[in-house]
Amino acid sequence: MSSGIQSLLKTEKEAAEIVNEARKYRTTRLKSAKQDAQAEIDSYKKQKEEELKNYEKEHEGLNEKIDKEADAEVQKELTSIKSTFDKRKDAVVKLLVEATVKPTPTLHINAGN
């Protein structure tokens, strides 16, 4: 009978060792999988950062170019407005002086109702 118990104890001990080995293997595999995943994440992150740097380099002068074009357009509009002002200022001043000196009183369209 004691030999049966000894056999059971030996079998139980072997089973416990197998379970421990399986746990160690699982832990090792999980660590390895985490390291592999982190390496893949780092690689992907590095690739995307490189793509971003390349994109920024390609489009670096775009804002300056747009700003210069906008400034040129504003200057063109200001020149046009100034030109129109210079052409019409004498006529407007004359019209204002005549309206002030020689008023022509008229009833407002709502005054008669």
Side-chain angles (χ1 to χ4, degrees):
M1 180 113 152
S2 100
S3 131
I5 294 175
Q6 290 294 330
S7 175
L8 284 174
L9 288 174
K10 182 179 177 186
T11 305
E12 185 179 339
K13 186 177 179 181
E14 289 173 359
E17 287 177 12
I18 291 171
V19 168
N20 282 335
E21 288 297 318
R23 285 184 180 151
K24 286 179 186 177
Y25 177 75
R26 187 186 77 191
T27 303
T28 304
R29 292 292 297 151
L30 280 174
K31 286 181 182 177
S32 175
K34 285 181 182 179
Q35 289 172 348
D36 291 347
Q38 189 62 46
E40 192 172 329
I41 289 169
D42 291 342
S43 172
Y44 184 74
K45 184 178 178 182
K46 185 177 179 181
Q47 174 191 354
K48 289 301 176 183
E49 286 175 351
E50 194 66 32
E51 288 177 15
L52 177 62
K53 286 179 186 176
N54 289 338
Y55 181 82
E56 287 175 345
K57 284 180 184 176
E58 288 176 12
H59 297 89
E60 190 173 20
L62 188 60
N63 286 340
E64 292 174 14
K65 181 180 177 185
I66 291 171
D67 287 343
K68 286 180 182 177
E69 289 175 359
D71 287 343
E73 187 67 28
V74 167
Q75 288 301 323
K76 182 179 174 185
E77 287 291 324
L78 284 174
T79 303
S80 172
I81 291 170
K82 202 171 209 178
S83 169
T84 303
F85 169 76
D86 288 339
K87 288 178 187 175
R88 297 185 180 170
K89 86 175 167 182
D90 291 335
V92 171
V93 169
K94 183 178 177 184
L95 182 67
L96 287 172
V97 168
E98 285 180 12
T100 305
V101 175
K102 301 176 186 175
T104 55
T106 57
L107 282 176
H108 190 271
I109 58 172
N110 293 332
N113 294 335

